[in-house]
Amino acid sequence: MDTRPLFLANWKMNLVEAEVTSFLTRFIPLAPPSTDRAVAVAPSFPSLRTASILLEKTGLEVAAQDLCHEERGAFTGGVSAAMLVAVGCRYVLVGHSDRRQIWAEDDELIQRKMRAATDQGLLPVLCVGESAGQRQQGRTAEVVEKQVRAALSGIPLDEENPLALAYEPVWAIGTGDGASPEQAEEVHRQIRELLQEIYPGRASALRILYGGSVTADTAADLMAQPDINGLLVGTASLEPDSFAAICRCPLGSGPP
Ligand code: PGA
């Protein structure tokens, strides 16, 4: 099972194909060796193949930002897991808060996307997190638990392509106001305990990423927390030097 800490760039709806090419051309020589950590970028669908070709034999990997919950058929605009595998994707984000909020994705749809990904051997990164209001009401643990349980319901753990999670508090995404390492660790520990219950004996090896306003200045302190096993980076991943600095941060103690 791949337990290397994972650094994942979520480019969202930024960077056209030519910009992806120039980003990666600059980033490849700056990226850390993939021996003790995994690094992947998630461009938008039209640039996935270009990214895969450029990253071939570099040890760096490609992720998609979303997928369709069905295998094939009349789903205009949909992109299936098999299509992603065919263009060289290894990971796919599932249930990002943008998708939950703007496209009204609910827990049931997200569970189906998890299944669609794992059926094809794609490694899903399930995103969960509470809103500012839910945190203020003291409902963080309850909200995250519900999201995790619903999305993982009936999803087997594939040892070769183990799913990962990303805790992304909605209030921390794109705001410049990330969770403190202690705030993040508290929720990561809770998610780890839940995973222990869902996948007994195997939860310690599963990666739980933190996402939300991560920068090169905050990366090392976050990674020093015992239950933080990677970072999902939006804004600060749009510039090669800044994402490389994050990917090169000192690693913490890793999974307990
Ligand atoms: P951010 O985005 O780093 O800009 O907060 C993170 C994400 O949405 O995945």
Side-chain angles (χ1 to χ4, degrees):
M1 180 138 59
D2 189 357
T3 58
R4 291 173 302 163
L6 171 61
F7 294 83
L8 180 46
N10 175 12
W11 288 339
K12 310 187 187 183
M13 202 172 72
N14 295 293
L15 307 185
V16 298
E17 196 177 22
E19 292 167 326
V20 168
T21 299
S22 44
F23 180 106
L24 291 176
T25 306
R26 168 132 184 98
F27 179 71
I28 290 166
L30 301 175
S34 49
T35 39
D36 67 345
R37 61 193 79 198
V39 175
V41 296
S44 51
F45 291 134
S47 301
L48 287 172
R49 182 179 283 284
T50 295
S52 297
I53 292 169
L54 284 165
L55 294 182
E56 224 174 323
K57 300 202 174 79
T58 63
L60 307 170
E61 296 172 303
V62 180
Q65 298 175 18
D66 184 37
L67 82 167
C68 183
H69 61 289
E70 290 285 355
E71 260 178 56
R72 68 177 66 77
F75 299 96
T76 302
V79 175
S80 71
M83 291 170 183
L84 297 177
V85 171
V87 292
C89 282
R90 168 131 174 80
Y91 307 89
V92 60
L93 296 178
V94 177
H96 188 279
S97 67
D98 290 346
R99 304 288 322 171
R100 292 180 192 258
Q101 290 180 332
I102 304 167
W103 283 273
E105 292 193 4
D106 61 13
D107 284 338
E108 189 197 326
L109 181 69
I110 289 165
Q111 189 273 350
R112 294 177 73 181
K113 290 187 175 198
M114 290 296 291
R115 180 173 292 284
T118 49
D119 279 354
Q120 292 295 327
L122 255 182
L123 200 157
V125 179
L126 169 67
C127 304
V128 298
E130 81 287 2
S131 67
Q134 289 165 335
R135 175 163 280 261
Q136 272 154 21
Q137 293 161 11
R139 293 179 52 216
T140 300
E142 169 212 329
V143 168
V144 169
E145 173 169 355
K146 179 172 173 288
Q147 291 173 339
V148 172
R149 282 194 194 281
L152 297 184
S153 166
I155 305 296
L157 186 58
D158 174 349
E159 303 269 343
E160 253 166 62
N161 305 294
L163 54 87
L165 277 88
Y167 169 55
E168 294 208 301
V170 179
W171 49 270
I173 296 177
T175 59
D177 186 20
S180 69
E182 296 72 25
Q183 278 176 321
E185 172 62 17
E186 189 184 356
V187 182
H188 280 235
R189 196 175 332 109
Q190 181 214 340
I191 294 173
R192 180 88 58 205
E193 283 165 15
L194 260 175
L195 291 175
Q196 204 67 262
E197 194 193 309
I198 300 170
Y199 303 114
R202 291 174 298 171
S204 60
L206 294 180
R207 292 172 289 189
I208 309 172
L209 283 58
Y210 168 76
S213 296
V214 173
T215 65
D217 291 336
T218 60
D221 286 346
L222 287 161
M223 289 302 294
Q225 299 295 319
D227 289 293
I228 299 185
N229 320 117
L231 300 170
L232 178 53
V233 190
T235 313
S237 75
L238 287 170
E239 204 274 308
D241 297 71
S242 133
F243 186 50
I246 291 170
C247 295
R248 287 185 162 278
C249 81
L251 298 179
S253 49

